[in-house]
Amino acid sequence: MRKFFDEMYIDGASNVRDHYREFEAWLATQSPKTVARKRAEADLIFRRVGITFAVYGNEAGTERVIPFDIIPRMITAREWAHMEAGLVQRVRTLNMFIHDIYHDQNIVKAGIIPPEQIFRNAQYRPEMQGISVASDIYAHIAGVDIVRAGQGEFYVLEDNLRVPSGVSYMLEDRKMMMRLFPELFARHQVAPVAHYPDMLLDNLRSVAPIGVTDPTVVVMTPGMYNSAYFEHAFLAQQMGVELVEGQDLFVNDNAVYMRTTRGPKRVDVIYRRIDDDYMDPLAFRADSTLGVPGLLSVYRSGRVTLANAIGTGVADDKSIYPFVPDMVRFYLSEEPILNNVPTYQCRKKDELSYVLANLAELVVKEVHGAGGYGMLVGPASTKAEIENFRQRIIARPDGYIAQPTLALSACPTFVDSGVAPRHIDLRPFVLSGKTISMVPGGLTRVALKEGSLVVNSSQGGGTKDTWILEN
Amino acid sequence: MLSRTADHLFWMARYTERAENTARMLDVNVQTALLPQSARSAEQGWRATLGISELQEAFDQKYDKLTPRDVLHFMALDTSHSSSITSCLRAARENARAVRGTLTTEVWETHNTTWLEMQNQIEESDFENDPSQFFEWVKHRSHLSRGVTLGTMLQDEALFFIRLGTFLERADNTARILDVKFHGAATQTGEKPGHENQLDFYYWAAILRSVSAFEIYRKVYRDAITPARVADLLMLKADMPRSLLASLTGVVDNLSMVTGDTHNDTLRFAGKLHAELKFASINDVLKEGLHDYLTEFLEHIYELGNRISREFLVPLAA
């Protein structure tokens, strides 16, 4: 009996899940030489196309290709329908929550979330209090990380509502698979994803400031040395809009303009890939050279749309995460479709003592941590590491949450020794505008190290194509 | 189009063109060095080559004495300064990367592949013994990037700024090659009286080859190679692709495509420069003094580059 759910095999290599049967049979007929050649080809193409991410801490401008695995992660139409309904419900709720806390704060008044959890949260932006944003949408683009555990149930691991990235890999991975293995697509009904940029552009146009009928949309990047620069450039190109940096924009007469070869041009919607802190040196970090002085004041008067809105981080924080199921009940009077992972809040005395007593079995996360940094995976840690974390938690219990170590599902993956199971997660990209929509699937990330549960690319993770099978 | 985007496109093209021209020039020098010549005139030839790219000082700071091998290495492969071929190709790729969304996938991939293959090329081409192979490769990559640009880009502002960069850089480079080579010729001829004519032939033939004009020369003049005709061809012939006149025609054409009503000054400046070449006669130019003429021309090209930057590329304040 395996300790984790395997996406392809029911138990052992002899018993294949129905929806993987066709693929498994195909894979068995592929010679190792062919497979090796295809993998090398994929690497070469990714490098030539320049599908890279910048690596920090190395020589400036170092670019790396994220490892790509050619075994797709498959999800049945039925499973996807369930997940999609859950995602729509969850993201609708989160948008309502953000609107609520920057307006009437009914959820606090109702005693569901303690006020200090929100108003003392580092991601709470008092500047947004009472401000109206177009269509009351805050998280226009959400990346929701979903894992599969236990007997195959889906759990939401975290909500990314600030500048979630990875959608370009979802699209490029699909292109690569279709290029390398066209015959597989003839044998499977794989739901297409290539229309994502069109959906994104529609979505961004739908949230233009009131009165703007033909909005000018731009993508805003910190620049080419940002780790996700490829994605920023890719999305701007695919949508046919300008890719701007802060230095290309300026504020005049309560409007945002970009500097063009034919003079200033008004900008209405900014899909920004820069954190709140750097957006406007007059309002946030004064030392930021990435932002636009005066932007926030134009934004507050509703004359430009920022996607995502300022201050969305208050809702994707790990200390708010445990409340999401209650939010669903509060705002929609529905039961949550997707599970949360049971979460212990160290700020609560009884939960703290449980956490401290069981550190070796738990995963502990910093509430503001990201990118797989600042976490303790109990079962995979040394005594010294656990003791170190214990001291950190005792010193600042508010700063940590803990969760049981999930046996994340695994998907067969090519590694040095051949095909072996590696743990995966899934990040679907949910678009909110007049409606909530998404393309079927998302980015599957895979932890390439044996036994590792950390899938982030900054921690050596890879990606796979994600197939939603239409049957 | 964003001013910054136009700036990156313009410089992407200039650096690509510059890499090609440097490769052409060095290649010709390698060929010329195979001919019998005195040590002094050989050294002068290499000094002149450094001079074209304004690299004399930087070279002397790094090397005690001049050897062809060091000049070649310095101008082709040295990444410690920004004028070498490798530095130019890297700069072209960095500019392309900054605006990769504005380029077609094919154009971006061409620049990116050039940069990725560069290291292999240097290792595999046995640069020390046979640098020409590397120069050929550089020229081919430049041809390819020009071709893929023309073959895939929408004919809009982005393309016009790329073309503008190409033609402006080419005008600059042809003028420099011509100027330095005419200078070199003045000291070179008369060295060995018996070989004078013969040496002259090889010398001017090499210059023609450096701008792919040797066969064109034959076609156009059907006559012996003379310095005056070489100057005529490289400066005033409208149908010679790398001549000053052809380059300026390209500059004016593309400039007028991106110029709105408010930007007439730059276009007027370029137009006058163009008209002057168009109606010049080579005899008048030579009488006036070629070096003076070219020096002034280069100053005007420099001024034109600055005007383009000011009017279109450097972001204008609110």
Side-chain angles (χ1 to χ4, degrees):
Chain A
M1 181 71 187
R2 283 163 187 269
K3 294 195 299 288
F4 48 78
F5 183 90
D6 190 295
E7 299 284 340
M8 194 186 307
Y9 300 107
I10 294 169
D11 67 75
S14 55
N15 208 345
V16 180
R17 292 184 197 282
D18 280 347
H19 64 289
Y20 261 106
R21 201 156 280 164
E22 183 76 35
F23 178 83
E24 210 265 351
W26 171 87
L27 188 62
T29 64
Q30 302 300 304
S31 76
K33 227 169 95 186
T34 315
V35 171
R37 205 187 65 229
K38 296 280 188 186
R39 293 174 66 202
E41 197 180 329
D43 192 63
L44 192 78
I45 293 170
F46 274 127
R47 209 168 278 281
R48 195 190 69 217
V49 177
I51 301 176
T52 55
F53 71 109
V55 185
Y56 298 129
N58 274 315
E59 186 200 339
T62 307
E63 298 157 40
R64 230 188 264 161
V65 172
I66 293 186
F68 165 72
D69 184 61
I70 62 171
I71 300 182
R73 185 265 175 89
M74 298 188 205
I75 296 170
T76 64
R78 201 174 48 79
E79 285 170 334
W80 172 251
H82 171 77
M83 216 186 305
E84 187 179 29
L87 286 165
V88 169
Q89 181 195 53
R90 191 169 178 106
V91 170
R92 173 170 295 143
T93 300
L94 288 165
N95 272 306
M96 292 172 82
F97 168 71
I98 302 170
H99 182 263
D100 184 27
I101 57 164
Y102 287 122
H103 290 83
D104 299 337
Q105 297 152 1
N106 289 325
I107 198 161
V108 181
K109 289 175 189 156
I112 293 169
I113 302 181
E116 69 272 16
Q117 288 285 89
I118 290 165
F119 303 114
R120 281 168 57 195
N121 190 310
Q123 295 298 320
Y124 171 75
R125 301 284 174 203
E127 296 86 352
M128 290 298 290
Q129 199 62 53
I131 299 303
S132 295
V133 302
S135 305
D136 292 341
I137 298 296
Y138 290 79
H140 307 86
I141 298 99
V144 182
D145 291 345
I146 296 182
V147 297
R148 197 164 220 207
Q151 298 306 302
E153 309 88 55
F154 292 108
Y155 292 89
V156 173
L157 201 56
E158 66 182 48
D159 306 289
N160 298 286
L161 306 179
R162 289 172 247 185
V163 287
S165 56
V167 76
S168 55
Y169 294 101
M170 170 182 91
L171 298 170
E172 290 295 329
D173 284 359
R174 173 61 54 82
K175 259 201 329 224
M176 184 64 71
M177 284 301 281
M178 294 182 93
R179 177 168 182 165
L180 294 180
F181 305 109
E183 71 272 25
L184 277 175
F185 289 85
R187 294 182 186 206
H188 293 86
Q189 299 284 316
V190 183
V193 293
H195 56 294
Y196 176 84
D198 290 276
M199 280 175 68
L200 177 61
L201 183 59
D202 277 352
N203 197 66
L204 292 169
R205 289 174 62 95
S206 79
V207 290
I210 294 158
V212 179
T213 47
D214 185 18
T216 298
V217 176
V218 299
V219 175
M220 185 175 175
T221 175
M224 63 194 266
Y225 297 110
N226 181 269
S227 66
Y229 177 73
F230 164 70
E231 175 152 309
H232 308 159
F234 174 87
L235 289 174
Q237 181 187 38
Q238 295 293 307
M239 291 193 287
V241 305
E242 294 288 0
L243 178 67
V244 305
E245 296 179 13
Q247 53 173 314
D248 300 320
L249 300 179
F250 66 92
V251 166
N252 191 25
D253 226 4
N254 203 25
V256 180
Y257 293 90
M258 56 182 164
R259 305 172 211 270
T260 82
T261 53
R262 296 180 188 256
K265 181 161 186 350
R266 177 89 183 262
V267 171
D268 305 297
V269 181
I270 303 176
Y271 177 24
R272 49 101 174 202
R273 298 293 299 257
I274 298 177
D275 290 331
D276 287 355
D277 277 344
Y278 297 92
M279 285 298 283
D280 181 351
L282 300 184
F284 306 113
R285 285 182 63 148
D287 62 342
S288 169
T289 53
L290 304 174
V292 186
L295 179 63
L296 186 74
S297 110
V298 182
Y299 181 58
R300 282 169 52 97
S301 53
R303 289 171 48 89
V304 69
T305 296
L306 297 180
N308 290 347
I310 301 273
T312 57
V314 70
D316 73 5
D317 191 287
K318 291 184 178 72
S319 68
I320 295 295
Y321 166 88
F323 298 101
V324 176
D326 284 339
M327 282 180 207
V328 173
R329 295 181 190 104
F330 181 75
Y331 292 112
L332 302 178
S333 307
E334 293 172 9
E335 273 306 298
I337 298 169
L338 292 172
N339 302 313
N340 253 21
V341 180
T343 303
Y344 305 99
Q345 303 178 52
C346 297
R347 47 178 281 281
K348 295 187 180 170
K349 281 220 160 57
D350 51 335
E351 297 189 12
L352 173 66
S353 47
Y354 176 85
V355 169
L356 292 175
N358 294 281
L359 277 178
E361 272 80 57
L362 297 170
V363 175
V364 186
K365 296 174 180 171
E366 270 180 41
V367 291
H368 304 311
Y373 294 101
M375 62 190 277
L376 173 82
V377 181
S381 301
T382 64
K383 275 218 167 85
E385 283 164 347
I386 290 174
E387 281 320 303
N388 175 298
F389 244 80
R390 184 189 305 282
Q391 298 315 315
R392 287 162 63 176
I393 297 167
I394 291 170
R396 207 168 58 83
D398 299 8
Y400 296 90
I401 56 142
Q403 296 168 335
T405 309
L406 295 183
L408 295 196
S409 72
C411 184
T413 301
F414 272 101
V415 293
D416 289 343
S417 56
V419 178
R422 287 291 181 271
H423 296 296
I424 56 171
D425 80 349
L426 176 68
R427 175 177 290 181
F429 296 89
V430 184
L431 299 175
S432 306
K434 294 270 186 289
T435 58
I436 295 185
S437 56
M438 68 200 84
V439 295
L443 177 68
T444 292
R445 298 183 296 176
V446 53
L448 294 174
K449 246 188 288 170
E450 185 172 6
S452 171
L453 298 172
V454 185
V455 296
N456 299 75
S457 53
S458 49
Q459 309 281 311
T463 68
K464 285 169 171 288
D465 193 11
T466 311
W467 290 8
I468 307 301
L469 297 173
E470 295 176 338
N471 32 22
Chain B
M1 164 176 298
L2 286 180
S3 301
R4 184 176 52 81
T5 305
D7 188 68
H8 284 300
L9 294 168
F10 179 76
W11 282 102
M12 174 192 83
R14 286 198 75 160
Y15 280 121
T16 307
E17 184 71 20
R18 193 174 292 178
E20 177 185 344
N21 280 293
T22 305
R24 287 176 172 281
M25 198 171 58
L26 292 177
D27 197 24
V28 165
N29 263 35
V30 169
Q31 304 302 327
T32 317
L34 302 178
L35 297 172
Q37 57 185 332
S38 72
R40 196 172 61 86
S41 73
E43 173 157 349
Q44 264 164 3
W46 290 106
R47 284 238 164 258
T49 309
L50 286 167
I52 291 177
S53 306
E54 295 174 12
L55 283 173
Q56 306 96 317
E57 247 180 69
F59 182 86
D60 289 338
Q61 268 171 19
K62 189 156 182 171
Y63 298 94
D64 293 337
K65 62 179 179 46
L66 183 145
T67 69
R69 195 188 142 126
D70 288 342
V71 176
L72 278 172
H73 193 275
F74 187 68
M75 292 189 70
L77 309 182
D78 197 327
T79 48
S80 71
H81 64 96
S82 60
S83 301
S84 65
I85 293 174
T86 48
S87 292
C88 284
L89 292 179
R90 185 188 167 85
R93 189 263 184 180
E94 287 292 280
N95 277 286
R97 193 161 97 87
V99 293
R100 58 178 291 170
T102 310
L103 303 169
T104 58
T105 306
E106 286 97 329
V107 173
W108 154 248
E109 284 188 19
T110 301
H111 285 282
N112 192 41
T113 305
T114 301
W115 181 71
L116 290 170
E117 281 180 2
M118 195 166 70
Q119 211 48 48
N120 281 345
Q121 268 303 320
I122 295 164
E123 281 158 20
E124 284 166 20
S125 70
D126 187 16
F127 184 81
E128 299 295 330
N129 294 315
D130 182 11
S132 289
Q133 211 181 315
F134 177 69
F135 299 140
E136 275 302 304
W137 176 81
V138 173
K139 280 193 265 177
H140 277 294
R141 294 310 299 182
S142 179
H143 294 326
L144 191 60
S145 89
R146 208 160 36 238
V148 80
T149 301
L150 285 172
T152 64
M153 294 278 295
L154 183 68
Q155 295 180 6
D156 70 353
E157 250 188 315
L159 178 69
F160 304 142
F161 276 111
I162 293 175
R163 301 292 286 157
L164 190 53
T166 301
F167 287 120
L168 194 70
E169 183 68 24
R170 190 179 293 172
D172 178 277
N173 283 267
T174 299
R176 280 170 195 270
I177 290 177
L178 209 51
D179 189 28
V180 171
K181 290 297 174 181
F182 262 86
H183 251 327
T187 54
Q188 202 161 52
T189 47
E191 226 173 56
K192 289 184 179 175
H195 294 280
E196 195 175 325
N197 290 338
Q198 199 191 343
L199 274 182
D200 254 10
F201 169 83
Y202 286 110
Y203 186 80
W204 293 111
I207 293 169
L208 288 170
R209 286 208 173 89
S210 75
V211 292
S212 299
F214 184 73
E215 291 141 35
I216 291 175
Y217 184 97
R218 290 292 193 213
K219 211 180 256 178
V220 172
Y221 298 98
R222 302 187 181 284
D223 204 340
I225 293 177
T226 67
R229 287 199 198 108
V230 172
D232 185 48
L233 182 65
L234 298 191
M235 292 173 71
L236 306 180
K237 279 276 175 272
D239 42 10
M240 161 65 206
R242 312 189 80 81
S243 74
L244 300 188
L245 179 55
S247 302
L248 256 296
T249 304
V251 168
V252 169
D253 285 353
N254 287 283
L255 199 53
S256 57
M257 296 301 281
V258 296
T259 299
D261 295 340
T262 49
H263 296 131
N264 282 334
D265 274 2
T266 305
L267 185 57
R268 194 177 303 125
F269 186 84
K272 277 161 85 175
L273 207 51
H274 178 244
E276 204 178 300
L277 281 170
K278 192 169 172 186
F279 298 109
S281 94
I282 196 65
N283 289 331
D284 293 349
V285 170
L286 292 176
K287 230 179 285 163
E288 193 189 307
L290 187 71
H291 178 63
D292 289 345
Y293 187 93
L294 290 173
T295 305
E296 201 189 7
F297 179 82
L298 282 168
E299 277 164 14
H300 285 150
I301 288 292
Y302 181 75
E303 169 69 16
L304 181 55
N306 280 341
R307 282 170 183 255
I308 291 170
S309 280
R310 278 202 304 273
E311 304 232 18
F312 301 101
L313 311 178
V314 177
L316 302 164

